[in-house]
Structure formats: structure tokens, C-alpha cells
Amino acid sequence: MSRELKFFMARVRSGSLRRMFDNVEAEHANGGVGRAAIFFDMCHCIVHYGIGYLEYRIYNFSRVRDPQVRATYMTGDHNVALTAMIDDRACYAEFENKLGFMKNFGDLTGRSYIDLNKATAKTLADFCRGRTAVFAKCPSSFGGLGVERVAIDDATDYGQLFARLFKQGKVLVEQAIVQHHEMARLSPSSVNTLRVVTVLTDRGPKVIYTIVRASDGVKPVDNGTSGGMYTVVPSDGVMKYPMFSDADSTYYDVHPLTKTRFAGFKVPYYREAVTLCLQAALRIPRLRYVGWDVAITETGPVLVEGNILPGYEMVQNYRMKDGGQGILPVFEQALGFKVPRRYDGPFIPAADPKR
């Protein structure tokens, strides 16, 4: 079996034929292109470009037919290859683990924390004293999973709380971030964060793109995999596009609960957030491709966490860009080399970037 066919079958197995046909139907209803034509082109794109049916839809590939334009879109293969090229796997453990991240970047996070592996119920009680809530996290979790907002009051039994969190693996307990009142207007149920993607080039760190995420107004996290929504943020920090929800494949001009209009919303401290991420990008120079999650407080931006293998599809959503091309040429221009779809070679460090 050829690699392309194996890839196609893997995509089908990891997804859902029903969802695939639902996307075919949605594309047909949206633009009048024939169902059969969309289906076979979708299959072609899965094999030839390495994109899934959800990417096919948000990339608007039923209308983007030029092969040269389609080739400008970054895929999962490109994302994995670029990470393999310029991120040193030896550094993954100290970065992806949330406890390791707090140790390396604690001065940029703007909050205190404790490790229940090295604490007692009394330590937890002392940490929570005077607070109304803390966040408990599984150090190895991602996508908003394994994160719990823990309400604190006079009736809190710290012995029971410690035992439960420890049993669940939620051993990282952090001071809750209080976001800027403007960011809370997007959605008050979560801390709504910026995702700032940087690459460390031979000329220093560079921001490739930023997005802003908001919760659905009910859940305490803003991640798309947990029901949140997102939009691309232009370089001036003023939102101009609708937000998209992966959960229901819907574009929103206003938040469904808060009714905040997205177009024209100015992200507070946007330039300071970008500067913070450029500073963070120099902290572990053998990790050259990172997606930084940033919260905005009343006094400025703070790091939430960093992400290896950051998402690539959101910035290429066709409703969130003015040009017809994908993001791949932006990466290649910044890095000074072509990003392959497959890479099995050695890690490539930056050559003494001028900072």
C-alpha cells in the first residue's frame, strides 16, 4: 500500500465518515458545488495535500482550485516536519510539562504556584488563604483538558481537596489569573487568551501570527477542542474578522451569550504581549517554533503556557484573512528555507541570531 493511500485510510479511521459527509453537504449548501465533485476533490486533497475534511472546509478548498494556491497552505505534515527540523526533542520535557514550564518561565507568568508533589494539605491551605479560587492542572495535559477552576470558601476541606487533586493528577495549583475587564467582555467564564506563534530565525525571533480565543460563555476554558472559539488578530491588535467555533462549525459576528461584537474589538496591551513572546522565544533557543498562550491582565500581559507543535489551521481560515494564500510562504520567508512535508534529518539550530 502506498504512503498516500495509508495516509488517506488513517485520516478516515481517525475521523468520521458521517462528519466527512456532513462537511460535503455544508460545502454544497454554501456554494452550490456538486456533492460528488466536492467529495472526490476532498479525497484528492486528503491524499495529495495531506489535509483533513475539516481543514478542507475552513480553507474553502471547494472554491480554491488553483494547485499553486493550494500548495501555499500549511498542513499537518508541514507542521510536524518544521517542528522536527528546528525544535530539539531533548528540550520537550522541560517545556511541555506545565510544572517544568513554570520553573523556566515563572518570572513571565505573573502568578505563584505550588507543586502538590512537594506539598501537604496545610501547604495547600496556606496557598489558598485569602483567595476565592485557584486553578488545578494536570502537568501533562493539553487543549484545556485536565484543568479545573477550584472555588475556595470558608467551608473548604483542604485535606479532602488535597487528596482529590493528587489522585486526579492535578498536582499543579496556580494563582487564578484575573483578566483585563475588556477581555472579560468577550466572555466572562474563562480567561480569554492570545495565541502568539513565533519562530527563532538566524536574525532573531519573529512573530508569524496571533489569534485570540474566547470561551462559549459557559465553560471555564477557551480552547477550541473544549468548545471555545477563535479569530485571527491583525498586527494592530484590533479584531476585524468573525470568530469560529469548531464545536458547531459556526462563524459568529457577536458572542452568542455576551453579545460583544468582535469586529473593532481592541485587544489591550497587544504590542506588549507580542514583546513578551519575543522575549520568551529567546529563553530556550533550541526550541525555535512555539505557540505562546498569553493572558491580558489589568496591568499587562502574562504567559499562560507554551506549546510545541502549535496549530496551523486556524490562521488559514478563509473568513479570517484578506489574501487568497495560506501561511506557508510567511513561515518560509521568515526562516529563509522551504518547509518540507516530510523531514527525517537532524535538528537544525539557529546560527547565532542577532538579538
Side-chain angles (χ1 to χ4, degrees):
M1 185 183 293
S2 69
R3 184 186 187 280
E4 288 75 14
L5 183 55
K6 287 180 180 178
F7 179 84
F8 175 76
M9 295 306 297
R11 282 282 187 173
V12 171
R13 285 193 298 269
S14 65
S16 161
L17 282 176
R18 178 57 183 271
R19 291 191 68 188
M20 183 176 182
F21 286 120
D22 286 346
N23 277 273
V24 169
E25 185 62 35
E27 284 297 278
H28 169 71
N30 190 35
V33 181
R35 295 180 181 87
I38 293 173
F39 173 76
F40 286 112
D41 186 51
M42 192 178 288
C43 293
H44 166 75
C45 288
I46 290 174
V47 173
H48 188 73
Y49 297 105
I51 69 169
Y53 50 79
L54 294 175
E55 293 164 293
Y56 182 93
R57 184 176 178 190
I58 67 171
Y59 293 175
N60 200 31
F61 267 21
S62 64
R63 294 159 193 80
V64 178
R65 295 285 181 160
D66 186 336
Q68 291 185 329
V69 176
R70 285 180 167 184
T72 67
Y73 281 75
M74 195 169 192
T75 71
D77 284 348
H78 290 111
N79 208 36
V80 170
L82 180 57
T83 299
M85 290 178 75
I86 65 174
D87 280 351
D88 187 351
R89 293 185 65 87
C91 300
Y92 281 17
E94 64 177 313
F95 190 83
E96 290 188 307
N97 183 282
K98 289 179 171 58
L99 278 168
F101 185 86
M102 292 299 290
K103 291 173 184 176
N104 284 303
F105 296 89
D107 58 314
L108 303 181
T109 65
R111 61 192 184 277
S112 57
Y113 72 98
I114 58 172
D115 176 2
L116 296 190
N117 291 307
K118 303 176 181 179
T120 64
K122 183 181 183 306
T123 310
L124 178 61
D126 291 342
F127 183 79
C128 294
R129 185 174 295 115
R131 296 185 167 122
T132 58
V134 294
F135 274 83
K137 302 178 180 180
C138 294
S140 60
S141 65
F142 63 94
L145 303 175
V147 177
E148 177 185 353
R149 182 184 184 277
V150 181
I152 301 298
D153 57 35
D154 293 339
T156 300
D157 185 321
Y158 290 101
Q160 290 184 0
L161 178 60
F162 182 95
R164 178 178 69 79
L165 294 178
F166 194 86
K167 182 178 180 180
Q168 294 174 344
K170 298 175 181 177
V171 296
L172 171 60
V173 180
E174 297 179 356
Q175 174 186 353
I177 297 172
V178 179
Q179 68 182 338
H180 195 285
H181 66 276
E182 276 294 294
M183 296 301 289
R185 284 205 307 117
L186 290 176
S187 179
S189 70
S190 75
V191 174
N192 308 302
T193 58
L194 282 172
R195 166 65 62 86
V196 182
V197 173
T198 63
V199 293
L200 183 56
T201 76
D202 293 343
R203 299 170 303 284
K206 181 176 179 59
V207 171
I208 300 297
Y209 67 87
T210 61
I211 63 171
V212 69
R213 301 177 299 188
S215 72
D216 58 6
V218 178
K219 296 182 180 66
V221 293
D222 62 356
N223 305 73
T225 54
S226 301
M229 56 187 70
Y230 68 86
T231 190
V232 172
V233 182
S235 59
D236 61 0
V238 180
M239 293 162 54
K240 61 184 291 188
Y241 309 111
M243 277 198 161
F244 180 74
S245 168
D246 283 324
D248 58 13
S249 297
T250 300
Y251 293 91
Y252 292 94
D253 292 317
V254 299
H255 193 280
L257 289 184
T258 66
K259 305 306 179 184
T260 297
R261 181 164 294 279
F262 298 134
F265 182 92
K266 182 175 177 59
V267 178
Y269 295 111
Y270 176 79
R271 296 198 181 280
E272 290 83 352
V274 168
T275 299
L276 178 69
C277 294
L278 292 174
Q279 177 185 353
L282 295 169
R283 186 69 58 91
I284 305 180
R286 293 182 72 83
L287 293 176
R288 298 174 55 195
Y289 174 34
V290 177
W292 307 96
D293 291 342
V294 182
I296 308 298
T297 73
E298 296 289 354
T299 57
V302 296
L303 282 187
V304 177
E305 62 183 17
N307 300 269
I308 302 295
L309 206 69
Y312 57 91
E313 66 278 17
M314 294 180 284
V315 69
Q316 300 180 118
N317 192 308
Y318 82 102
R319 292 283 302 275
M320 300 175 191
K321 56 192 184 70
D322 297 326
Q325 290 194 331
I327 196 69
L328 191 59
V330 178
F331 275 94
E332 293 177 337
Q333 182 177 7
L335 291 165
F337 57 77
K338 291 288 185 181
V339 178
R341 276 187 58 187
R342 302 176 186 88
Y343 182 74
D344 298 318
F347 159 71
I348 303 173
D352 296 323
K354 298 180 177 60
R355 298 164 187 167

